[in-house]
C-alpha cells in the first residue's frame, strides 16, 4: 500500500494535497472534520450554533481543541484490540496533556488541532498548511494555542497515541527524519522504566500526570 511503501514525509505531503483538493470541491456551506485515525474528536451538540454566534463577533469559522493523550491502565504500549471499546482499553486520562509548550511537558509540541472548519472562509477555500494550521487567503486558522488563531476553542479531545501501532509509525518517522524531535521525545516515553518493569516510562510520570 502507499502507506507502507512511501516515505512518511512524502505521504504527509500527499495527504495534505488530497485533503485540500477535497476542501476546494466541497459546497460553500459545508463543514469539514479532519482527524487522524488516533484522534477521537468531540463537539457540543450546538457546535454550529456557537460558531454562527461567534462568527458575527470574532470571525470564527473553525473550531479548535487540544489533544489529550489516553493511557493504558498498566502504562504499557499495547496494540489496539478489535471489538473492545477503545475508551476501555485506554482508560487513563492525565490531569494535564503530555504534549504542550509548558517547560515540564514530557513532549514539547503543539497540542492544538483544528477540529471543524468551514468550506469557505472570506470567499476562499481553506488550505491546510500542516496538520495543525490552515489558511484561507491571507487568513490563518489554528497553529498556536489560543493566540489570534481564529478558532473557537472547544476544550480537549481524546488522543489515542500510546498504542503499539502509533509507536511503530513514530519509529518509522524517526527513520524518515520527519518531525524528529517530537517522535524522539515520544519514543523515550515508550521504553520500560527499568529492566524489571514491563510498563513504559509513562509510569514514571504517573504521580504528576495521572488524573
Amino acid at each position: 500500500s502507499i502507506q507502507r511503501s512511501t516515505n512518511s514525509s512524502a505521504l504527509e505531503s500527499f495527504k495534505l494535497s488530497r485533503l485540500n483538493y477535497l476542501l476546494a470541491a466541497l459546497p460553500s456551506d459545508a463543514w469539514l472534520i479532519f482527524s487522524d485515525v488516533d484522534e477521537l474528536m468531540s463537539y457540543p451538540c450546538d457546535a454550529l450554533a456557537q460558531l454562527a454566534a461567534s462568527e458575527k463577533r470574532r470571525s470564527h469559522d473553525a473550531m479548535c481543541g487540544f489533544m489529550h493523550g489516553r493511557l493504558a491502565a498498566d502504562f504499557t504500549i499495547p496494540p489496539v484490540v478489535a471489538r473492545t471499546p477503545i475508551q476501555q482499553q485506554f482508560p487513563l486520562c492525565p490531569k494535564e496533556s503530555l504534549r504542550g509548550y509548558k517547560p515540564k511537558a514530557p513532549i514539547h509540541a503543539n497540542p492544538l488541532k483544528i477540529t471543524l472548519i468551514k468550506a469557505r472562509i472570506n470567499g476562499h477555500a481553506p488550505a491546510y498548511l500542516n496538520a495543525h494550521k490552515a489558511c484561507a487567503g491571507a487568513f490563518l486558522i489554528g497553529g498556536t494555542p489560543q493566540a489570534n488563531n481564529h478558532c473557537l476553542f472547544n476544550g480537549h479531545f481524546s488522543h489515542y497515541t500510546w498504542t503499539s501501532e502509533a509507536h511503530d509509525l513514530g519509529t518509522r518517522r524517526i527513520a524518515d527524519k520527519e518531525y524528529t524531535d517530537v517522535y524522539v521525545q515520544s519514543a523515550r516515553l515508550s521504553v520500560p522504566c527499568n529492566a524489571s518493569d514491563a510498563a513504559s516510562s509513562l509510569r514514571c510520570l504517573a504521580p504528576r500526570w495521572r488524573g
Side-chain angles (χ1 to χ4, degrees), residues 129-157:
L129 304 175
N130 55 47
H132 301 264
K133 181 167 62 176
C135 67
F139 198 70
L140 292 177
I141 304 106
T144 55
Q146 300 311 101
N148 301 317
N149 56 27
H150 303 112
C151 277
L152 181 62
F153 186 62
N154 186 35
H156 296 74
F157 63 87

PDB file of all heavy atoms in Angstrom, residues 129-157:
ATOM      1  N   LEU A 129      -1.963  23.890   5.827  1.00  0.00           N
ATOM      2  CA  LEU A 129      -0.520  24.038   5.683  1.00  0.00           C
ATOM      3  C   LEU A 129       0.215  22.879   6.348  1.00  0.00           C
ATOM      4  O   LEU A 129       1.288  22.476   5.922  1.00  0.00           O
ATOM      5  CB  LEU A 129      -0.068  25.367   6.295  1.00  0.00           C
ATOM      6  CG  LEU A 129      -0.766  26.617   5.732  1.00  0.00           C
ATOM      7  CD1 LEU A 129      -0.338  27.855   6.500  1.00  0.00           C
ATOM      8  CD2 LEU A 129      -0.482  26.768   4.248  1.00  0.00           C
ATOM      9  N   ASN A 130      -0.369  22.384   7.421  1.00  0.00           N
ATOM     10  CA  ASN A 130       0.093  21.171   8.098  1.00  0.00           C
ATOM     11  C   ASN A 130      -1.085  20.645   8.904  1.00  0.00           C
ATOM     12  O   ASN A 130      -2.204  21.162   8.769  1.00  0.00           O
ATOM     13  CB  ASN A 130       1.337  21.424   8.967  1.00  0.00           C
ATOM     14  CG  ASN A 130       1.130  22.532   9.990  1.00  0.00           C
ATOM     15  OD1 ASN A 130       0.106  22.571  10.694  1.00  0.00           O
ATOM     16  ND2 ASN A 130       2.103  23.434  10.089  1.00  0.00           N
ATOM     17  N   ALA A 131      -0.861  19.647   9.727  1.00  0.00           N
ATOM     18  CA  ALA A 131      -1.973  19.038  10.463  1.00  0.00           C
ATOM     19  C   ALA A 131      -2.579  19.961  11.503  1.00  0.00           C
ATOM     20  O   ALA A 131      -3.676  19.698  12.004  1.00  0.00           O
ATOM     21  CB  ALA A 131      -1.502  17.752  11.130  1.00  0.00           C
ATOM     22  N   HIS A 132      -1.902  21.068  11.836  1.00  0.00           N
ATOM     23  CA  HIS A 132      -2.355  21.953  12.909  1.00  0.00           C
ATOM     24  C   HIS A 132      -2.799  23.333  12.435  1.00  0.00           C
ATOM     25  O   HIS A 132      -3.354  24.098  13.216  1.00  0.00           O
ATOM     26  CB  HIS A 132      -1.221  22.158  13.932  1.00  0.00           C
ATOM     27  CG  HIS A 132      -0.739  20.895  14.562  1.00  0.00           C
ATOM     28  ND1 HIS A 132      -1.196  20.450  15.787  1.00  0.00           N
ATOM     29  CD2 HIS A 132       0.142  19.960  14.128  1.00  0.00           C
ATOM     30  CE1 HIS A 132      -0.604  19.305  16.079  1.00  0.00           C
ATOM     31  NE2 HIS A 132       0.210  18.997  15.092  1.00  0.00           N
ATOM     32  N   LYS A 133      -2.559  23.662  11.181  1.00  0.00           N
ATOM     33  CA  LYS A 133      -2.780  25.032  10.734  1.00  0.00           C
ATOM     34  C   LYS A 133      -3.278  25.053   9.301  1.00  0.00           C
ATOM     35  O   LYS A 133      -2.863  24.249   8.468  1.00  0.00           O
ATOM     36  CB  LYS A 133      -1.469  25.825  10.849  1.00  0.00           C
ATOM     37  CG  LYS A 133      -1.568  27.274  10.430  1.00  0.00           C
ATOM     38  CD  LYS A 133      -0.327  28.065  10.857  1.00  0.00           C
ATOM     39  CE  LYS A 133       0.930  27.555  10.221  1.00  0.00           C
ATOM     40  NZ  LYS A 133       2.111  28.391  10.576  1.00  0.00           N
ATOM     41  N   ALA A 134      -4.195  26.001   9.018  1.00  0.00           N
ATOM     42  CA  ALA A 134      -4.721  26.190   7.675  1.00  0.00           C
ATOM     43  C   ALA A 134      -4.738  27.683   7.350  1.00  0.00           C
ATOM     44  O   ALA A 134      -4.562  28.529   8.230  1.00  0.00           O
ATOM     45  CB  ALA A 134      -6.125  25.603   7.556  1.00  0.00           C
ATOM     46  N   CYS A 135      -4.955  27.994   6.085  1.00  0.00           N
ATOM     47  CA  CYS A 135      -5.097  29.390   5.690  1.00  0.00           C
ATOM     48  C   CYS A 135      -6.249  29.506   4.694  1.00  0.00           C
ATOM     49  O   CYS A 135      -6.575  28.560   3.984  1.00  0.00           O
ATOM     50  CB  CYS A 135      -3.808  29.935   5.086  1.00  0.00           C
ATOM     51  SG  CYS A 135      -3.359  29.204   3.505  1.00  0.00           S
ATOM     52  N   ALA A 136      -6.876  30.674   4.686  1.00  0.00           N
ATOM     53  CA  ALA A 136      -7.914  30.995   3.699  1.00  0.00           C
ATOM     54  C   ALA A 136      -7.540  32.360   3.141  1.00  0.00           C
ATOM     55  O   ALA A 136      -7.788  33.379   3.771  1.00  0.00           O
ATOM     56  CB  ALA A 136      -9.285  31.027   4.350  1.00  0.00           C
ATOM     57  N   GLY A 137      -6.883  32.380   2.005  1.00  0.00           N
ATOM     58  CA  GLY A 137      -6.278  33.608   1.529  1.00  0.00           C
ATOM     59  C   GLY A 137      -5.137  33.969   2.471  1.00  0.00           C
ATOM     60  O   GLY A 137      -4.257  33.164   2.748  1.00  0.00           O
ATOM     61  N   ALA A 138      -5.174  35.194   3.011  1.00  0.00           N
ATOM     62  CA  ALA A 138      -4.158  35.623   3.979  1.00  0.00           C
ATOM     63  C   ALA A 138      -4.588  35.384   5.418  1.00  0.00           C
ATOM     64  O   ALA A 138      -3.895  35.764   6.360  1.00  0.00           O
ATOM     65  CB  ALA A 138      -3.843  37.108   3.768  1.00  0.00           C
ATOM     66  N   PHE A 139      -5.741  34.718   5.610  1.00  0.00           N
ATOM     67  CA  PHE A 139      -6.342  34.499   6.917  1.00  0.00           C
ATOM     68  C   PHE A 139      -5.834  33.175   7.473  1.00  0.00           C
ATOM     69  O   PHE A 139      -6.038  32.123   6.873  1.00  0.00           O
ATOM     70  CB  PHE A 139      -7.863  34.471   6.732  1.00  0.00           C
ATOM     71  CG  PHE A 139      -8.658  34.679   7.975  1.00  0.00           C
ATOM     72  CD1 PHE A 139      -8.703  35.907   8.595  1.00  0.00           C
ATOM     73  CD2 PHE A 139      -9.411  33.640   8.521  1.00  0.00           C
ATOM     74  CE1 PHE A 139      -9.474  36.122   9.723  1.00  0.00           C
ATOM     75  CE2 PHE A 139     -10.184  33.829   9.650  1.00  0.00           C
ATOM     76  CZ  PHE A 139     -10.213  35.082  10.250  1.00  0.00           C
ATOM     77  N   LEU A 140      -5.152  33.192   8.620  1.00  0.00           N
ATOM     78  CA  LEU A 140      -4.601  31.982   9.221  1.00  0.00           C
ATOM     79  C   LEU A 140      -5.549  31.406  10.268  1.00  0.00           C
ATOM     80  O   LEU A 140      -6.132  32.154  11.052  1.00  0.00           O
ATOM     81  CB  LEU A 140      -3.244  32.270   9.859  1.00  0.00           C
ATOM     82  CG  LEU A 140      -2.103  32.612   8.898  1.00  0.00           C
ATOM     83  CD1 LEU A 140      -0.834  32.952   9.671  1.00  0.00           C
ATOM     84  CD2 LEU A 140      -1.828  31.469   7.920  1.00  0.00           C
ATOM     85  N   ILE A 141      -5.688  30.101  10.280  1.00  0.00           N
ATOM     86  CA  ILE A 141      -6.558  29.404  11.231  1.00  0.00           C
ATOM     87  C   ILE A 141      -5.726  28.355  11.959  1.00  0.00           C
ATOM     88  O   ILE A 141      -4.979  27.595  11.347  1.00  0.00           O
ATOM     89  CB  ILE A 141      -7.741  28.713  10.513  1.00  0.00           C
ATOM     90  CG1 ILE A 141      -8.534  29.718   9.689  1.00  0.00           C
ATOM     91  CG2 ILE A 141      -8.648  28.025  11.520  1.00  0.00           C
ATOM     92  CD1 ILE A 141      -8.314  29.616   8.211  1.00  0.00           C
ATOM     93  N   GLY A 142      -5.880  28.305  13.277  1.00  0.00           N
ATOM     94  CA  GLY A 142      -5.158  27.320  14.072  1.00  0.00           C
ATOM     95  C   GLY A 142      -3.707  27.726  14.261  1.00  0.00           C
ATOM     96  O   GLY A 142      -3.365  28.904  14.285  1.00  0.00           O
ATOM     97  N   GLY A 143      -2.851  26.733  14.401  1.00  0.00           N
ATOM     98  CA  GLY A 143      -1.418  26.985  14.520  1.00  0.00           C
ATOM     99  C   GLY A 143      -0.936  27.032  15.949  1.00  0.00           C
ATOM    100  O   GLY A 143      -0.333  26.095  16.438  1.00  0.00           O
ATOM    101  N   THR A 144      -1.198  28.124  16.639  1.00  0.00           N
ATOM    102  CA  THR A 144      -0.707  28.275  18.004  1.00  0.00           C
ATOM    103  C   THR A 144      -1.867  28.298  18.987  1.00  0.00           C
ATOM    104  O   THR A 144      -2.952  28.791  18.662  1.00  0.00           O
ATOM    105  CB  THR A 144       0.105  29.572  18.160  1.00  0.00           C
ATOM    106  OG1 THR A 144      -0.700  30.672  17.720  1.00  0.00           O
ATOM    107  CG2 THR A 144       1.362  29.515  17.309  1.00  0.00           C
ATOM    108  N   PRO A 145      -1.661  27.766  20.183  1.00  0.00           N
ATOM    109  CA  PRO A 145      -2.745  27.698  21.168  1.00  0.00           C
ATOM    110  C   PRO A 145      -3.292  29.064  21.577  1.00  0.00           C
ATOM    111  O   PRO A 145      -2.590  29.869  22.191  1.00  0.00           O
ATOM    112  CB  PRO A 145      -2.089  26.991  22.362  1.00  0.00           C
ATOM    113  CG  PRO A 145      -0.966  26.220  21.766  1.00  0.00           C
ATOM    114  CD  PRO A 145      -0.457  27.076  20.638  1.00  0.00           C
ATOM    115  N   GLN A 146      -4.509  29.328  21.188  1.00  0.00           N
ATOM    116  CA  GLN A 146      -5.283  30.462  21.688  1.00  0.00           C
ATOM    117  C   GLN A 146      -4.590  31.819  21.537  1.00  0.00           C
ATOM    118  O   GLN A 146      -4.668  32.662  22.418  1.00  0.00           O
ATOM    119  CB  GLN A 146      -5.663  30.223  23.153  1.00  0.00           C
ATOM    120  CG  GLN A 146      -6.499  28.978  23.371  1.00  0.00           C
ATOM    121  CD  GLN A 146      -7.680  28.916  22.409  1.00  0.00           C
ATOM    122  OE1 GLN A 146      -7.623  28.209  21.418  1.00  0.00           O
ATOM    123  NE2 GLN A 146      -8.741  29.646  22.676  1.00  0.00           N
ATOM    124  N   ALA A 147      -3.914  32.035  20.423  1.00  0.00           N
ATOM    125  CA  ALA A 147      -3.262  33.327  20.191  1.00  0.00           C
ATOM    126  C   ALA A 147      -3.557  33.771  18.759  1.00  0.00           C
ATOM    127  O   ALA A 147      -2.821  33.436  17.849  1.00  0.00           O
ATOM    128  CB  ALA A 147      -1.762  33.209  20.435  1.00  0.00           C
ATOM    129  N   ASN A 148      -4.670  34.513  18.599  1.00  0.00           N
ATOM    130  CA  ASN A 148      -5.054  35.019  17.281  1.00  0.00           C
ATOM    131  C   ASN A 148      -5.145  33.906  16.228  1.00  0.00           C
ATOM    132  O   ASN A 148      -4.702  34.069  15.097  1.00  0.00           O
ATOM    133  CB  ASN A 148      -4.060  36.090  16.815  1.00  0.00           C
ATOM    134  CG  ASN A 148      -3.977  37.262  17.764  1.00  0.00           C
ATOM    135  OD1 ASN A 148      -5.001  37.738  18.249  1.00  0.00           O
ATOM    136  ND2 ASN A 148      -2.773  37.738  18.038  1.00  0.00           N
ATOM    137  N   ASN A 149      -5.710  32.771  16.634  1.00  0.00           N
ATOM    138  CA  ASN A 149      -5.762  31.645  15.700  1.00  0.00           C
ATOM    139  C   ASN A 149      -7.104  31.523  14.986  1.00  0.00           C
ATOM    140  O   ASN A 149      -7.310  30.597  14.227  1.00  0.00           O
ATOM    141  CB  ASN A 149      -5.427  30.336  16.417  1.00  0.00           C
ATOM    142  CG  ASN A 149      -6.328  30.068  17.616  1.00  0.00           C
ATOM    143  OD1 ASN A 149      -7.464  30.523  17.653  1.00  0.00           O
ATOM    144  ND2 ASN A 149      -5.821  29.327  18.592  1.00  0.00           N
ATOM    145  N   HIS A 150      -8.034  32.464  15.258  1.00  0.00           N
ATOM    146  CA  HIS A 150      -9.338  32.493  14.577  1.00  0.00           C
ATOM    147  C   HIS A 150     -10.088  31.184  14.714  1.00  0.00           C
ATOM    148  O   HIS A 150     -10.775  30.745  13.796  1.00  0.00           O
ATOM    149  CB  HIS A 150      -9.162  32.868  13.098  1.00  0.00           C
ATOM    150  CG  HIS A 150      -8.461  34.179  12.909  1.00  0.00           C
ATOM    151  ND1 HIS A 150      -7.196  34.291  12.377  1.00  0.00           N
ATOM    152  CD2 HIS A 150      -8.841  35.452  13.213  1.00  0.00           C
ATOM    153  CE1 HIS A 150      -6.830  35.555  12.350  1.00  0.00           C
ATOM    154  NE2 HIS A 150      -7.808  36.284  12.850  1.00  0.00           N
ATOM    155  N   CYS A 151      -9.925  30.535  15.865  1.00  0.00           N
ATOM    156  CA  CYS A 151     -10.641  29.300  16.186  1.00  0.00           C
ATOM    157  C   CYS A 151     -11.486  29.516  17.424  1.00  0.00           C
ATOM    158  O   CYS A 151     -11.041  30.170  18.369  1.00  0.00           O
ATOM    159  CB  CYS A 151      -9.666  28.165  16.478  1.00  0.00           C
ATOM    160  SG  CYS A 151      -9.045  27.319  15.040  1.00  0.00           S
ATOM    161  N   LEU A 152     -12.656  28.936  17.441  1.00  0.00           N
ATOM    162  CA  LEU A 152     -13.457  28.871  18.655  1.00  0.00           C
ATOM    163  C   LEU A 152     -12.988  27.646  19.432  1.00  0.00           C
ATOM    164  O   LEU A 152     -13.107  26.513  18.965  1.00  0.00           O
ATOM    165  CB  LEU A 152     -14.939  28.749  18.313  1.00  0.00           C
ATOM    166  CG  LEU A 152     -15.912  28.699  19.498  1.00  0.00           C
ATOM    167  CD1 LEU A 152     -15.829  29.985  20.324  1.00  0.00           C
ATOM    168  CD2 LEU A 152     -17.336  28.476  19.013  1.00  0.00           C
ATOM    169  N   PHE A 153     -12.413  27.857  20.614  1.00  0.00           N
ATOM    170  CA  PHE A 153     -11.833  26.756  21.379  1.00  0.00           C
ATOM    171  C   PHE A 153     -12.916  25.837  21.905  1.00  0.00           C
ATOM    172  O   PHE A 153     -13.926  26.280  22.450  1.00  0.00           O
ATOM    173  CB  PHE A 153     -10.995  27.312  22.533  1.00  0.00           C
ATOM    174  CG  PHE A 153     -10.237  26.260  23.287  1.00  0.00           C
ATOM    175  CD1 PHE A 153      -9.271  25.491  22.658  1.00  0.00           C
ATOM    176  CD2 PHE A 153     -10.491  26.039  24.635  1.00  0.00           C
ATOM    177  CE1 PHE A 153      -8.565  24.520  23.356  1.00  0.00           C
ATOM    178  CE2 PHE A 153      -9.791  25.070  25.344  1.00  0.00           C
ATOM    179  CZ  PHE A 153      -8.822  24.316  24.700  1.00  0.00           C
ATOM    180  N   ASN A 154     -12.678  24.527  21.790  1.00  0.00           N
ATOM    181  CA  ASN A 154     -13.685  23.532  22.137  1.00  0.00           C
ATOM    182  C   ASN A 154     -13.160  22.525  23.157  1.00  0.00           C
ATOM    183  O   ASN A 154     -13.567  21.383  23.172  1.00  0.00           O
ATOM    184  CB  ASN A 154     -14.152  22.823  20.851  1.00  0.00           C
ATOM    185  CG  ASN A 154     -15.295  21.877  21.098  1.00  0.00           C
ATOM    186  OD1 ASN A 154     -16.158  22.137  21.929  1.00  0.00           O
ATOM    187  ND2 ASN A 154     -15.304  20.761  20.390  1.00  0.00           N
ATOM    188  N   GLY A 155     -12.212  22.936  23.990  1.00  0.00           N
ATOM    189  CA  GLY A 155     -11.726  22.048  25.034  1.00  0.00           C
ATOM    190  C   GLY A 155     -10.771  20.986  24.522  1.00  0.00           C
ATOM    191  O   GLY A 155     -10.050  21.174  23.549  1.00  0.00           O
ATOM    192  N   HIS A 156     -10.788  19.816  25.185  1.00  0.00           N
ATOM    193  CA  HIS A 156      -9.862  18.726  24.876  1.00  0.00           C
ATOM    194  C   HIS A 156     -10.598  17.566  24.199  1.00  0.00           C
ATOM    195  O   HIS A 156     -11.795  17.368  24.404  1.00  0.00           O
ATOM    196  CB  HIS A 156      -9.187  18.205  26.146  1.00  0.00           C
ATOM    197  CG  HIS A 156      -8.312  19.219  26.820  1.00  0.00           C
ATOM    198  ND1 HIS A 156      -8.826  20.288  27.529  1.00  0.00           N
ATOM    199  CD2 HIS A 156      -6.970  19.317  26.913  1.00  0.00           C
ATOM    200  CE1 HIS A 156      -7.824  21.014  28.013  1.00  0.00           C
ATOM    201  NE2 HIS A 156      -6.701  20.446  27.667  1.00  0.00           N
ATOM    202  N   PHE A 157      -9.847  16.800  23.413  1.00  0.00           N
ATOM    203  CA  PHE A 157     -10.396  15.569  22.837  1.00  0.00           C
ATOM    204  C   PHE A 157      -9.373  14.450  23.023  1.00  0.00           C
ATOM    205  O   PHE A 157      -8.177  14.682  23.189  1.00  0.00           O
ATOM    206  CB  PHE A 157     -10.759  15.746  21.358  1.00  0.00           C
ATOM    207  CG  PHE A 157      -9.595  16.058  20.453  1.00  0.00           C
ATOM    208  CD1 PHE A 157      -8.827  15.038  19.898  1.00  0.00           C
ATOM    209  CD2 PHE A 157      -9.266  17.372  20.146  1.00  0.00           C
ATOM    210  CE1 PHE A 157      -7.762  15.315  19.064  1.00  0.00           C
ATOM    211  CE2 PHE A 157      -8.207  17.663  19.310  1.00  0.00           C
ATOM    212  CZ  PHE A 157      -7.444  16.639  18.768  1.00  0.00           C
TER     213      PHE A 157
END
